[in-house]
Amino acid sequence: MNRNFNVFSQIKKVPWWGYVGGVASFAIQSLFYYLSNWLANITGSINWAVCTKIDVIDNAIPIVPAFSIIYVYAFVFWFFAPVVVSITGKENFKKYAIGQVVAYFIGFVIYIVLPTYMNRSAEGLIDYAQNGNYWLLKIIYSVDGGNYAFNLCPSYHCLTSVYSFLAVYKKEGISLWYKIYSFIVALLICLATLFIKQHYFIDLVTGVLIAIIVFIVVELVFAKKNKQAQQKLYTKI
């Protein structure tokens, strides 16, 4: 059996729950994102929202409107991540699904307990998008709060993209080219959050760290669980 097969040549082998996972990933992320914003307003925690901007770093990052395309492409990348993982078996898919939900939930709690914001008008972003007629950038800003953006830290864009890469980078049955593609796309998406000024640098770092830590913990938990199952099997034998 060729363990380094081309992902798209195996598209017919994708189980139905792989596609469900692709839809569910977006649905759960959206639910946590908007629900946390609603709860922050209801509880009043939104009133102590902080700005995570680090002037010396974030002011040095230029606006590159072309990265708007990559920012939006992230949704396509996220849909196919669980689809691809599902090809490698239920165990890997289960780890991916659990880890991603846990990572989302951590972000959800942070959004409520320690809300963050960006004043796009004060940053000159709204005027920049309008005066330059960057229509995609204007749509992104409009859909995501307009003059004010909330739920910045951690960046779900960075968290989800990095986790999508980690879920495949060591898995057998996934081609090397797809692993390289996942790394490059995850990196570009993280950069896009900065280059279109949707997030500050600390938001990116936090999202990446949560993804890495959760991924490692889930891997360790499953490894321990499998080891205990094997020990029980040997004991019975």
Side-chain angles (χ1 to χ4, degrees), residues 24-37 108 156:
S25 175
F26 174 74
I28 294 172
Q29 179 190 145
S30 299
L31 173 64
F32 281 162
Y33 185 86
Y34 290 108
L35 180 60
S36 63
N37 193 34
F108 170 74
Y156 263 174

Side-chain angles (χ1 to χ4, degrees), residues 198-209:
Q198 270 292 85
H199 287 277
Y200 294 121
F201 179 73
I202 194 64
D203 308 331
L204 180 156
V205 172
T206 305
V208 170
L209 286 178

